Amino acid sequence: MHIAEGFLPAGHALGWTVAAAPFVVHGARAVVKEVRDNPESTLLLGAAGAFTFVLSAIKLPSITGSSSHPTGTGPGAILFRPPVMALLGTVVLLFQALLLAHGGLTTLGANAFAFAVVGPWTGYLVYRLTRGAGAGLLPAVFAGVAMADLATYVTTSLQLALAFPDASTGFVGALVKFLGVFALTQIPLAIGEGILGVLLFRVLTVNARPELERLGVLRPAPLVPTGGAA
Amino acid sequence: MTRRTLVNALLVLAVVALFAVPLLVDGGASEYGGTDAAVTEELAAGGYEPWFESVFSPAGEVESGLFALQAALGGGVLGYVLGRLHGRRTARPSAAAADPR
């Protein structure tokens, strides 16, 4: 989903930077507030950032014969709400833009908007809707994490179609073309990422139950009467 | 092996299969070029010239190394956190046994 350095017209690059900046600033405040108010969250925040760090570094082959990478922004959005991922995701993109020549500084705003804003928000909303519809935690995590991944790539396709509309078929034609490159390749990757998200939450529900209850991901277990010993 | 461990192992297997099976079926016919690069090449072929260059562009092998470093950093931190959380839980039963709630 990385739009390479210099590959957006200056006006678009500036526009997406302006669009993404408030989310990232708000996200930075959300992270600081979370760490200050709940220092015990730091470990899980680290896990959320690390998850997106490792997943976005791995390029995976897809059935379409091309390769792409997952995003890893879904679990953090589900655990800590999307603003936190606006910062953590942008840090990942900055690392890749500066050290890997992957993505870019001029396209950082557009990439952050797709990867760190739209992806996490979509994943979080899908997770909430799925849970609201009565699904259990893990099916909702699967849906949310997979859709965070897919939505990021759909957004990148939209951004490119806006900047490079097709000469004859216009914006829609260009969108179909870019979706053909990104979205199709991404479907199996999104499924794989959804499964990894489920694995992560299976481990967390066992080992980090108090944190998940405090974050509202799990309902506190009812107090079991233990014959007056409580 | 508990049922939970078994399900976790099967989930890992499912992820591996999801990416290994297409590779095996394909039999090396595809080049698996990156989608990011595919778009860049197409735009460049259409006459677009990037107006800004990357500040630092590592060459091939260095780049793969840095990607590996990124994955290692993420995997290391994730493993550290999960290990600590696991250790915290496994350390608790002994304490709980001495002091039941």
Side-chain angles (χ1 to χ4, degrees):
Chain A
M1 46 59 66
H2 294 83
I3 302 175
E5 185 75 280
F7 267 88
L8 272 185
H12 285 257
L14 185 69
W16 287 114
T17 304
V18 170
F23 287 96
V24 178
V25 171
H26 178 235
R29 287 187 176 172
V31 170
V32 170
K33 187 176 185 314
E34 182 69 33
V35 171
R36 197 181 47 209
D37 296 352
N38 304 296
E40 68 276 18
S41 283
T42 315
L43 263 188
L44 268 191
L45 262 176
F51 192 75
T52 183
F53 215 68
V54 61
L55 283 200
S56 62
I58 301 174
K59 295 172 188 169
L60 289 165
S62 182
I63 40 174
T64 54
S66 50
S67 71
S68 190
H69 62 86
T71 64
T73 55
I78 290 170
L79 286 171
F80 292 103
R81 300 179 39 82
V84 166
M85 291 317 293
L87 177 73
L88 298 185
T90 305
V91 170
V92 174
L93 290 174
L94 197 61
F95 177 92
Q96 296 188 322
L98 287 175
L99 290 179
L100 299 167
H102 204 62
L105 294 176
T106 60
T107 51
L108 184 65
N111 289 332
F113 198 84
F115 180 91
V117 177
V118 177
W121 271 105
T122 308
Y124 179 71
L125 291 177
V126 168
Y127 162 80
R128 288 299 296 262
L129 287 173
T130 317
R131 287 217 82 177
L137 172 68
L138 295 180
V141 164
F142 174 80
V145 172
M147 286 314 292
D149 177 319
L150 209 53
T152 300
Y153 281 80
V154 170
T155 307
T156 302
S157 305
L158 272 167
Q159 291 169 328
L160 286 167
L162 278 172
F164 303 101
D166 194 83
S168 51
T169 53
F171 168 76
V172 176
L175 179 61
V176 171
K177 182 182 72 185
F178 289 124
L179 282 174
V181 176
F182 282 125
L184 288 183
T185 301
Q186 204 61 27
I187 289 171
L189 268 79
I191 294 171
E193 183 170 346
I195 299 175
L196 287 178
V198 167
L199 259 173
L200 179 68
F201 273 79
R202 282 176 65 86
V203 173
L204 289 181
T205 47
V206 174
N207 293 310
R209 198 164 189 103
E211 284 84 358
L212 296 197
E213 287 174 358
R214 191 182 55 72
L215 292 166
V217 174
L218 286 176
R219 247 180 239 111
L223 284 173
V224 184
T226 49
Chain B
M1 188 187 272
T2 64
R3 184 166 170 273
R4 191 169 59 230
T5 323
L6 181 69
V7 173
N8 284 349
L10 286 175
L11 285 172
V12 173
L13 210 62
V15 176
V16 173
L18 190 63
F19 298 106
V21 169
L23 272 178
L24 294 174
V25 170
D26 185 73
S30 297
E31 295 204 354
Y32 294 106
T35 52
D36 290 352
V39 165
T40 313
E41 283 161 20
E42 197 175 312
L43 293 178
Y48 184 84
E49 285 185 25
W51 54 279
F52 195 80
E53 291 291 318
S54 291
V55 188
F56 166 69
S57 296
E61 295 299 312
V62 179
E63 186 192 335
S64 10
L66 287 170
F67 264 110
L69 179 70
Q70 186 191 337
L73 284 172
V77 172
L78 190 62
Y80 169 77
V81 171
L82 295 181
R84 269 195 67 159
L85 291 171
H86 180 75
R88 186 185 70 180
R89 180 176 65 88
T90 45
R92 198 171 290 156
S94 52
D99 178 28
R101 276 207 291 177

